[in-house]
Amino acid sequence: MLLSYRSLSVAAVFSLSSLLSAADNPFIGRWALTIPGGGAGWLGVESKDGALTSSVLWGGGSVVPTTSTKLDGDTLIVTREQKNKEGKLNATETITAKADGDVLKLTTAKKNAAGKDMGQPQEFTGKRIPAVPAAPDLSKVKFGEPIQLLNGKDLTGWRLLKEGVDNGWSVVDGILQNRVVKAKDKHFGNLRTDAEFEDFNLKTEVRTQEGSNSGIYLRGIYEVQVMESFGQPLDSHHMGALYSRITPSVAAEKPIGEWQTLDITLVDRHLTVILNGKTIIDNAPVLGCTGGAMSSDEFKPGPIYLQGDHTNVDYRNMVLRPVVK
């Protein structure tokens, strides 16, 4: 079919308008969210070939792509679908946002599969995350005196992240162990240090149990995954990964029941992970919080916290050296 000159002109103007609007789009970038209820979230908005795309982290779980992203005047509209394990639609969530400089004001509303409202719309906020700086020269970074986080005797210096949950953590024969009982009336907790830290190097040993799924949260924001994944393909959810964000470059896990070493360095929002002597993440930029983060604010000190709500796991010899500025 031949297009008229007028049609071509309209198409050209529309294309130019789309490119200009993308360049001037105040929503493009990464946003730290405080989602309804106060949890940590994240939104990333990009422009590719004149079209908007986005991904989102909502409290727990992984960073996932959204279903659609579009502009309506000065409003960003993001839609994401929630499906069950069989792929059947459970709900559709629509997030709308307005930008005021580096601040977002957002609203979320859900409809079930039949298109009926699920509760009232909820308001929440977001803040633009500054660009990640250049990768630091780790050979020039100075570290302070080592801090022994585990005393091999008891839980001194540690406490449950939340009160009112079951405590599966104890020290046995010098080993910090978590033991979880699967029951409907049991809800086991995560364990955090009393002390809070900024940038640092952290060395520890970990021993997975059958089906282990734990994690080491750096500053309570970024989870380095601890999982029984020996012999499995590379994945951003496996041992040593930055959960759902950075996939290890090589599989370096040991079989279940063997002690494994983790050497983790966090400097200027860049992460290095050495697992069992092999560098699996090499000074890579970290683009935002991970699921289960205490906060989406990447610029304040926070604790080391160990995920204990899932399964059994053991830790020992945990030593932290803070960056000296």
Side-chain angles (χ1 to χ4, degrees), residues 155 160 167-170 176-178 189-191 306-308 313 315:
L155 297 177
L160 288 175
N167 184 9
W169 297 95
S170 64
L176 174 65
Q177 62 177 33
N178 186 51
N190 304 316
L191 192 69
L306 307 177
Q307 186 178 43
V313 69
Y315 292 94

Side-chain angles (χ1 to χ4, degrees), residues 5-72:
Y5 176 77
R6 176 179 174 80
S7 297
L8 288 171
S9 298
V10 170
V13 169
F14 178 79
S15 177
L16 178 60
S17 174
S18 297
L19 290 173
L20 288 174
S21 63
D24 297 333
N25 189 336
F27 298 101
I28 292 176
R30 297 184 297 276
W31 301 86
L33 306 179
T34 301
I35 62 177
W42 179 90
L43 173 67
V45 182
E46 298 181 89
S47 177
K48 295 181 179 179
D49 301 323
L52 291 177
T53 62
S54 64
S55 53
V56 68
L57 172 70
W58 198 262
S62 301
V63 177
V64 295
T66 60
T67 306
S68 68
T69 311
K70 63 182 181 180
L71 277 178
D72 183 4

